[in-house]
Amino acid sequence: MNEKRILAWQLYAQTLLLLVLYSAASLMTAIKFMPSDPLSIALPYMEISSLSHVLIELAILTGLFATSVYFLFTEVKKIMLWVYRAWTAFLVITVIAGLSDMFTGRHLLELPLLLDAALFTLVVAWSYVLFTGKDNAGKLVLMTGMGFVITGILVSLFPANNPLNDRILRVITVNMRFFVGYPLTGLAILYWLYNDIPINAGAGILAAVGSIVSIAPLNAIGVINLPAVILVPLIFIGMFYVVRALTSSTRAWQNVGILLMALGMGVLGTLFVIPSVGSYAVGTRLADLQITLVTWSVMLFILSSLSDSLVNTQIETTTYGNSLTFWLVSGGIVAGTQALLLAGVVQLLLERVLGVGYLDTQTVLVPLYVLWIVGILIWSVGIAKYAYHFLGSGMHLPKYRTAEES
Amino acid sequence: MTAAVVLIMTVALAGGGIEADENVEAGFALWRDYGCESCHTLYGQGGNYAPDLTHIYTLRGEAYISDFMVSPAAYHPDQREMPRFTINQDEIDQLIAMFAWTASTEPVADVWPPNPIQVAGSAGLNITVLSEDEEQETLSPLAAQGQDIYSQRCASCHSIVDGVVLVGPSFHDIANHAGQRVEGQDAETYLRNAILYPSDYIVPGFQDLMQKNFAEVLSSDDINAIIAYLLTFDGGDA
């Protein structure tokens, strides 16, 4: 195993550790939706939900760096090692800050200013490092996606001074990251894995669809007025093309990721982009589900890169991405997201159309939240099993040294 | 598309077009500092673990919001409980200023949401909607005056729909059962006393949460008008 693979392995190990922590935080967050929660005051929802949001985004970023290092480099440069060390320190500090209740509570923008600035700096540093890697079409799409992510982080450093301006900024910064930036980086991973996808056209269409989906909430609440008659066909045609181009009968992890992307960007994106429908759906469980679907879609592309093609990152074992692990992870995700989808539809009908109070609607949704928790439990077991085998395979790794240090 | 996004972003960053006074900005800073967005939504953006507060000022009024922030545990028993923040009256006033601003600022205020989002109870079920003319036909001038006061002072806590409890008891059929609550007091007397001395007239199953200073803030005419309006609730459709 060469140094590049060891560095990739270390970043993948961090990804899986973050995912395990995220699983635990997600489970505790979901339990908060039950009627009786013994920790309702001792561990407020805002603390645990903030932690889970930060963990999944850091897991995605770390997984992206791991996959990019693996595919874009043949050997490790000294600067990569420094960035990796700084990133590791950042992850440790951030997790400690989250466990110490130091996050801000801004939904999906929870990092305090200093950590947000550090994240911006490190993502820029990683992007620079990755930019020096091998030139190919996938790298161009990756850098474009990272550009959206970096812009999103940068804009979030400057919150506006009143609620409406802040909401507009928030929609743009969060959605630019989750609906344009990360999907593009996911597409780059698929290109590196399979090489047979039309990446330039796919990236253009995905970016266009993501941009439409990103601004849909502003259309729904009346800040801007774009006609659905144009936007809806664009989303449908775009997602049809993307799904047709990317799916294959033999790529299990990737196909589940594509399915989630199609649901999040295509189906829910269409729902939100029609103002007369989206205005009822904004702020319901469906909005949370949309981000969850796209986030997990990219995460499955990353796991796909581990399970389908990078088994030789390991010394001996390939059991971490086996069939049972796949079915636990993907089955749990599908079950959990289906429960959230039903909860969102019921919430929309009861609370937004029929005028039943928010709290009374939440009581009605409890059985669906139980299913959601079951789904999280299932994929948590799958992720734990995956991480256990992967981390166990690293017991025999040689001591890591850069080319310059050797 | 990207250009449009950047344009919107730039306008928002500069604070152009949509402005707010210092109190609103201070209230919004508190909203961020206390992490309210982690649970609540504003304009549909946020945590979705607690109700959307875009129009809470219109739906509940200042007194309710102020009391709720001081004693959140007293409201909505057996449902999600908001943590109690160490918040002073100045901060509460600033947050209320922010809520008043969000409920009235265009372009969103008149557009979103299409239906009011209630905190608890139900606003939309089994309600017969009367046109303004029909309402005027069914109410005396005094009761119509009372309706206005009710909507400003009472509606945030008392529903007029059967079985729907917001904070205090529903006023459905109050004209018939108010006279049976306390022996020797007819409906009008009971209602007047309950408004003036709410702590002495707590309906079983409810807590002592009603505003205590109606004797100071309402004139006799106002109270007569409210009572006249409440006495129109005789069990028919609200």
Side-chain angles (χ1 to χ4, degrees):
Chain A
M1 180 183 281
N2 65 25
E3 288 95 349
K4 177 199 78 172
R5 286 180 177 169
I6 296 173
L7 181 58
W9 186 93
Q10 288 169 329
L11 285 164
Y12 278 125
Q14 289 178 347
T15 305
L16 288 170
L17 283 174
L18 288 166
L19 271 183
V20 169
L21 289 175
Y22 166 70
S23 302
S26 290
L27 199 54
M28 295 187 74
T29 303
I31 287 171
K32 296 267 166 211
F33 285 79
M34 294 291 98
S36 56
D37 172 18
L39 296 175
S40 62
I41 301 299
L43 180 61
Y45 175 81
M46 61 182 286
E47 288 181 28
I48 194 68
S49 66
S50 297
L51 181 63
S52 70
H53 295 150
V54 170
L55 287 170
I56 187 65
E57 190 165 9
L58 292 182
I60 285 181
L61 281 169
T62 312
L64 284 174
F65 301 149
T67 309
S68 305
V69 164
Y70 185 85
F71 281 108
L72 293 179
F73 294 90
T74 49
E75 62 179 26
V76 172
K77 299 174 181 175
K78 194 163 188 175
I79 187 173
M80 292 169 72
L81 187 58
W82 282 110
V83 175
Y84 164 73
R85 285 170 180 158
W87 181 252
T88 306
F90 170 77
L91 291 181
V92 172
I93 292 168
T94 303
V95 170
I96 290 172
L99 293 172
S100 310
D101 187 24
M102 292 171 69
F103 288 169
T104 64
R106 290 185 75 207
H107 185 64
L108 295 171
L109 298 169
E110 285 94 350
L111 288 182
L113 186 61
L114 275 178
L115 285 177
D116 228 358
L119 176 67
F120 172 77
T121 308
L122 285 166
V123 173
V124 169
W126 267 119
S127 298
Y128 169 75
V129 167
L130 300 179
F131 185 71
T132 63
K134 281 185 290 191
D135 285 330
N136 59 48
K139 191 181 91 171
L140 182 64
V141 172
L142 174 82
M143 299 317 296
T144 307
M146 293 307 293
F148 277 98
V149 172
I150 288 168
T151 308
I153 298 171
L154 180 65
V155 174
S156 72
L157 293 173
F158 304 98
N161 57 357
N162 73 54
L164 191 49
N165 284 346
D166 189 77
R167 299 299 82 182
I168 295 169
L169 269 183
R170 186 194 169 282
V171 165
I172 294 168
T173 57
V174 170
N175 292 359
M176 187 182 285
R177 282 149 82 162
F178 285 95
F179 296 140
V180 186
Y182 292 128
L184 285 177
T185 58
L187 188 65
I189 292 177
L190 293 185
Y191 176 78
W192 292 329
L193 282 172
Y194 304 114
N195 264 316
D196 59 352
I197 59 173
I199 187 165
N200 290 330
I205 290 171
L206 200 57
V209 170
S211 299
I212 294 171
V213 171
S214 292
I215 57 174
L218 299 179
N219 217 22
I221 65 172
V223 173
I224 54 175
N225 290 293
L226 297 176
V229 69
I230 296 173
L231 302 180
V232 170
L234 278 176
I235 290 185
F236 262 88
I237 294 167
M239 286 316 296
F240 175 78
Y241 175 85
V242 169
V243 170
R244 191 177 64 92
L246 301 185
T247 48
S248 152
S249 59
T250 57
R251 301 165 184 170
W253 290 91
Q254 172 207 330
N255 285 350
V256 178
I258 297 288
L259 173 69
L260 299 186
M261 183 78 77
L263 276 173
M265 300 267 275
V267 177
L268 292 182
T270 302
L271 187 144
F272 278 103
V273 93
I274 304 171
S276 58
V277 180
S279 59
Y280 286 94
V282 165
T284 65
R285 198 55 54 204
L286 293 173
D288 301 327
L289 175 63
Q290 193 183 27
I291 293 243
T292 304
L293 286 168
V294 177
T295 308
W296 266 105
S297 167
V298 179
M299 183 48 71
L300 285 176
F301 295 157
I302 292 168
L303 293 180
S304 171
S305 70
L306 260 181
S307 307
D308 293 353
S309 297
L310 303 185
V311 288
N312 55 357
T313 305
Q314 304 301 295
I315 291 175
E316 51 190 64
T317 178
T318 59
T319 56
Y320 50 85
N322 65 15
S323 175
L324 178 60
T325 311
F326 167 76
W327 285 112
L328 283 171
V329 174
S330 58
I333 289 171
V334 170
T337 50
Q338 276 194 352
L340 274 185
L341 179 64
L342 288 172
V345 170
V346 174
Q347 185 186 10
L348 186 151
L349 289 173
L350 288 183
E351 181 191 309
R352 301 300 174 84
V353 178
L354 296 174
V356 177
Y358 176 90
L359 292 171
D360 301 293
T361 304
Q362 292 299 310
T363 304
V364 172
L365 296 179
V366 165
L368 292 168
Y369 290 147
V370 171
L371 288 176
W372 178 34
I373 292 172
V374 170
I376 294 175
L377 266 175
I378 293 171
W379 64 251
S380 295
V381 171
I383 288 292
K385 186 171 179 299
Y386 200 125
Y388 174 78
H389 287 295
F390 183 86
L391 296 172
S393 73
M395 297 290 285
H396 310 292
L397 283 175
K399 186 178 184 308
Y400 175 82
R401 286 182 300 179
T402 64
E404 287 99 329
E405 287 171 340
S406 297
Chain B
M1 186 65 67
T2 306
V5 168
V6 172
L7 181 64
I8 294 166
M9 201 165 60
T10 308
V11 169
L13 261 177
I18 304 163
E19 294 179 353
D21 66 28
E22 286 178 4
N23 256 354
V24 174
E25 292 183 6
F28 185 61
L30 290 167
W31 167 272
R32 283 202 307 261
D33 292 347
Y34 283 110
C36 306
E37 178 187 322
S38 187
C39 297
H40 289 282
T41 52
L42 210 55
Y43 302 116
Q45 302 296 318
N48 190 19
Y49 184 69
D52 186 274
L53 299 182
T54 308
H55 290 279
I56 193 69
Y57 183 84
T58 312
L59 290 169
R60 296 296 208 191
E62 287 187 32
Y64 174 93
I65 297 171
S66 181
D67 198 48
F68 186 91
M69 282 194 268
V70 173
S71 333
Y75 291 81
H76 312 301
D78 303 324
Q79 290 180 304
R80 280 176 207 164
E81 188 178 320
M82 188 172 107
R84 186 178 182 282
F85 297 99
T86 50
I87 187 168
N88 62 40
Q89 191 57 47
D90 285 345
E91 292 177 326
I92 289 173
D93 292 342
Q94 289 165 344
L95 280 166
I96 287 174
M98 185 201 82
F99 289 133
W101 187 87
T102 57
S104 61
T105 300
E106 300 294 347
V108 180
D110 285 342
V111 177
W112 191 86
N115 289 335
I117 300 173
Q118 304 292 318
V119 174
S122 173
L125 299 177
N126 304 319
I127 292 178
T128 303
V129 179
L130 299 178
S131 69
E132 203 168 305
D133 290 343
E134 287 172 322
E135 281 187 354
Q136 293 302 323
E137 283 174 17
T138 60
L139 296 177
S140 68
L142 187 63
Q145 181 192 340
Q147 185 184 30
D148 289 341
I149 302 169
Y150 163 85
S151 63
Q152 295 166 17
R153 300 277 186 177
C154 317
S156 58
C157 296
H158 294 280
S159 154
I160 55 175
V161 180
D162 188 17
V164 173
V165 174
L166 299 177
V167 178
S170 166
F171 284 155
H172 178 80
D173 201 25
I174 188 78
N176 291 321
H177 60 243
Q180 299 163 12
R181 289 260 166 81
V182 177
E183 197 172 338
Q185 292 187 7
D186 60 17
E188 183 179 339
T189 308
Y190 172 85
L191 289 172
R192 186 180 307 280
N193 287 338
I195 293 169
L196 295 174
Y197 314 107
S199 298
D200 298 332
Y201 288 83
I202 299 169
V203 175
F206 290 88
Q207 299 179 56
D208 184 12
L209 296 172
M210 188 163 145
Q211 194 174 332
K212 308 292 190 300
N213 62 345
F214 281 131
E216 298 158 20
V217 298
L218 294 176
S219 68
S220 297
D221 288 346
D222 289 341
I223 293 174
N224 288 337
I226 292 173
I227 292 171
Y229 177 60
L230 294 182
L231 290 177
T232 65
F233 295 113
D234 57 0
D237 285 341

